Amino acid sequence: MLIYVESKAFPSKTFTLVCNPHETIARARAQMLHILYELGRAEHQFRFRFKGEYLRDGYTFEDYRILDNSVIKMVPMSKRKRGSYNTVYGNEALYQDGAASDVHDFSSRAHLLGQEELDDVQKALRKEVSIFERRESLLGSFKVLLWIHFLATVLSFTTIYWFSALWTGALMLFGFLYCPNYTRLGGFVGKYGMNKNTFVIAFSVGAIMNVTASLLMGIYVLLELLAYECDTEEQTCLRQKELMYWSIVLYCGQTVCLVISVLICAILYHNFKTEVGDLIETYLVQIRDIDKVMKSAKTGSVKERRNAAFELASLAATGDDTKFRIVQEGGIEALMNLCLSQDQATQEYAIEAISELLTVPVIQDQFVELGGVRTMCALLHSKENRVVNEAVTALSYIVSDSEENREVVIAENGLDDLCYVAERVQIPASRIVAAIFLELAFTAEIRVMLSRQSAPATSLVHLCRLRDPETQRLSLQTLELLAIENSDVIIQHESLLELLLTLPKLTDDEQLFLLAGKIILYYAENEQACQKLVESEELKPCLIEFSYSFDPLLQNVVAKIVLAMIESHENKDEIVELGLDEVLIQIKNESSDRDAWRMADHGLMKLHNVKPVGKQSSLSSNKSKTSSGGLVASLPVKKAL
């Protein structure tokens, strides 16, 4: 598949990478390193980002759901203020922000090769480049030999065994037709009709057969020459000897060229095993010196600590064995210190590494014991969205697998920090925050505590306003759990009621309808909140939309809402005037659930048979009775229709 790479460093360029969905991000970065090498940029201090998420070396394109023709961003690792230089290697400025654009200050390749101190990745890059340069050179020499074979084929017609030109020509023609064309910059290009390894093997076999034939013919002609005796025709004798000498020279020369061709094919066969990224990917993902990285993370300079954090994030993504090794080397403590660094990039990479480590439950417990929850909660107040997102992700791992860890989050005042970030976070991190609240609410003691405070409910209402279906679903589930413990903490939010009643205008998700209906029921059961329901113009359209559902649970909830309003509201006339009987009629006519049908029927009887409560004029009372009687009389007709 094709992946397009964009970067502010190259405003007029879009790079194209040819990748496989099963390949790692490290291999794609290796391709990009080769491209940057040609532009004079041989270092590897950049990352890929897709839809706001940094891509880790150990993951594949499938893991990130990156499809064909996707566009990813290339982001420099180093960060600095506008108008200044960031020295990455020695005194060389690799990044420069101008007033107009963010561009790189590239140095010449000779300077890079001659003066910089290369790390393992750069050494692997140079080694790959030399391999591919050798491949290009060998294929060039091979094609020169093919032209020599062409010349030998033509000259074979002038030898004693002129018919040898037939098999020599066949080998030469095979070589011209199927020899791969390769350039280091473009890779294998042109018409490509045979596997390159198959070609070198087939050509080598044919060349060896030709070598054998040439040697045999040369030896046979030499023996003939030694035994040859001239007769009386001296001129004819000399010509015959010259022909023999020429044949021997041509066969020997052809043998030498064929042997050289076989040797080149053998070298190419070994060379073809190396693809772009084979060596670089190893250093990016697998065999880095963790001891060296940990030393840089603990005692290195700002640049070394930044690079160490990045390396630890990539290493942690390679597997559980590497995760445990990082922890054994004191990686958790080092990463917690890096999280509090003043360098933003270091913070981001350190939190990514911690998030990756916390996918293992055993490491979660150790992280909590070392006070990691306090560190993550502190990072929720960061001004950088990526730092906040990674901190939220880390906390989600902590609360998802252990009730004890949830209690630690609460004990560390993590609830206040979550409420703070809930009102500032954006999609998709909002889903993670909502999921954390839901996980906390699953613990009975914590749920009781949440239901006694207004801040968690306020934060959840704010998350519902983001109008992201997944965030709303998780938030409404949590609000429902809190309402079970203490409905008063929910019904005091008028903005939540307004959002719930307008939900059918925003989505057609019946799962959200069911959650919204359950929460509206709490409003209907409270006298004061019920008055707000009656006064809302969105109540009837909302319940009508809910009643159209074929979900028996939702129909039950809607019928319960109407019955609760009848019981809670003092003035039944207001309920009648709302026209909620249409909702009950819809449920009664369409519901396949017996309980929903019974509740709808009971609600209709109560709506039209209970007299209004309060001081009413006789005129209005008679009018109300007449109206009620007319409605009751019409019910069988509507049902029949």
Side-chain angles (χ1 to χ4, degrees), residues 12 19 65 124 151 164 177 189 203 225 230 237 270 288 295-296 305 394 399 431 460-461 469 483 490 507 525 527:
S12 60
C19 306
R65 297 182 181 179
L151 180 61
S164 63
L177 287 176
V189 296
F203 189 90
L225 179 62
C230 293
C237 178
H270 178 73
R288 297 181 220 176
K295 182 178 179 180
S296 299
R305 286 159 65 86
V399 302
R431 303 169 187 171
L460 290 166
V461 171
I490 303 299
T507 181
E525 292 173 344
E527 291 185 6

Side-chain angles (χ1 to χ4, degrees), residues 2 20 45 58 111 141 186 197 204 212 248 278 298 321 365 410 419 424 473 485 529-530 579 606 641:
L2 295 180
N20 188 295
Q45 301 299 313
H111 179 74
S141 300
N197 290 323
S204 298
T212 303
I248 293 172
D278 283 352
K298 295 175 181 178
D321 292 339
D365 298 336
I410 299 299
C419 292
R424 290 161 179 80
R473 182 182 66 81
E485 297 292 339
C530 185
K606 296 195 71 172
L641 290 175

Side-chain angles (χ1 to χ4, degrees), residues 224-282:
E224 282 188 345
L225 179 62
L226 294 176
Y228 185 75
E229 294 182 0
C230 293
D231 52 13
T232 55
E233 299 179 0
E234 295 293 337
Q235 191 67 25
T236 303
C237 178
L238 292 175
R239 288 180 180 177
Q240 185 65 23
K241 283 187 176 182
E242 288 177 357
L243 183 59
M244 289 181 178
Y245 282 123
W246 164 245
S247 298
I248 293 172
V249 170
L250 183 62
Y251 294 147
C252 291
Q254 190 175 20
T255 299
V256 172
C257 291
L258 288 170
V259 170
I260 295 174
S261 298
V262 172
L263 293 176
I264 290 178
C265 286
I267 298 173
L268 283 173
Y269 182 80
H270 178 73
N271 186 283
F272 286 156
K273 294 180 180 179
T274 304
E275 301 290 344
V276 173
D278 283 352
L279 304 181
I280 299 175
E281 182 183 20
T282 301

Side-chain angles (χ1 to χ4, degrees), residues 573 576 581 604-605 607-612 620-638:
D573 275 353
V576 173
D581 55 338
L604 286 170
M605 295 300 297
L607 273 177
H608 301 297
N609 289 303
V610 177
K611 295 183 180 180
S620 62
S621 178
N622 293 332
K623 184 178 180 181
S624 175
K625 291 180 180 180
T626 305
S627 175
S628 300
L631 285 170
V632 172
S634 66
L635 290 182
V637 178
K638 292 182 178 179

Side-chain angles (χ1 to χ4, degrees), residues 92-159:
E92 179 186 5
L94 292 178
Y95 302 105
Q96 181 182 13
D97 291 332
S101 62
D102 180 17
V103 297
H104 293 284
D105 182 21
F106 296 110
S107 299
S108 65
R109 188 185 308 160
H111 179 74
L112 289 172
L113 291 174
Q115 296 186 13
E116 69 173 342
E117 181 181 353
L118 304 180
D119 62 12
D120 291 337
V121 175
Q122 294 168 325
K123 290 177 181 177
L125 172 63
R126 300 301 191 276
K127 189 172 182 179
E128 281 192 8
V129 169
S130 64
I131 290 173
F132 299 143
E133 287 179 342
R134 189 180 307 118
R135 179 183 300 175
E136 185 176 6
S137 176
L138 287 171
L139 283 173
S141 300
F142 183 80
K143 290 182 179 179
V144 171
L145 286 173
L146 286 179
W147 284 107
I148 294 176
H149 294 324
F150 172 75
L151 180 61
T153 300
V154 175
L155 295 177
S156 294
F157 287 101
T158 63
T159 62

Side-chain angles (χ1 to χ4, degrees), residues 20-36:
N20 188 295
H22 303 288
E23 291 179 349
T24 61
I25 303 300
R27 185 167 289 273
R29 283 220 298 147
Q31 290 189 45
M32 197 68 226
L33 282 174
H34 280 275
I35 296 174
L36 295 178

Side-chain angles (χ1 to χ4, degrees), residues 453-494:
Q453 303 179 22
S454 60
T458 302
S459 300
L460 290 166
V461 171
H462 181 83
L463 290 173
C464 289
R465 292 176 188 165
L466 295 179
R467 297 184 180 180
D468 173 59
E470 184 65 16
T471 303
Q472 288 179 331
R473 182 182 66 81
L474 295 169
S475 301
L476 291 176
Q477 284 180 319
T478 308
L479 287 170
E480 182 189 0
L481 291 174
L482 299 185
I484 294 173
E485 297 292 339
N486 180 16
S487 61
D488 292 338
V489 75
I490 303 299
I491 62 179
Q492 64 182 349
H493 293 280
E494 295 184 16

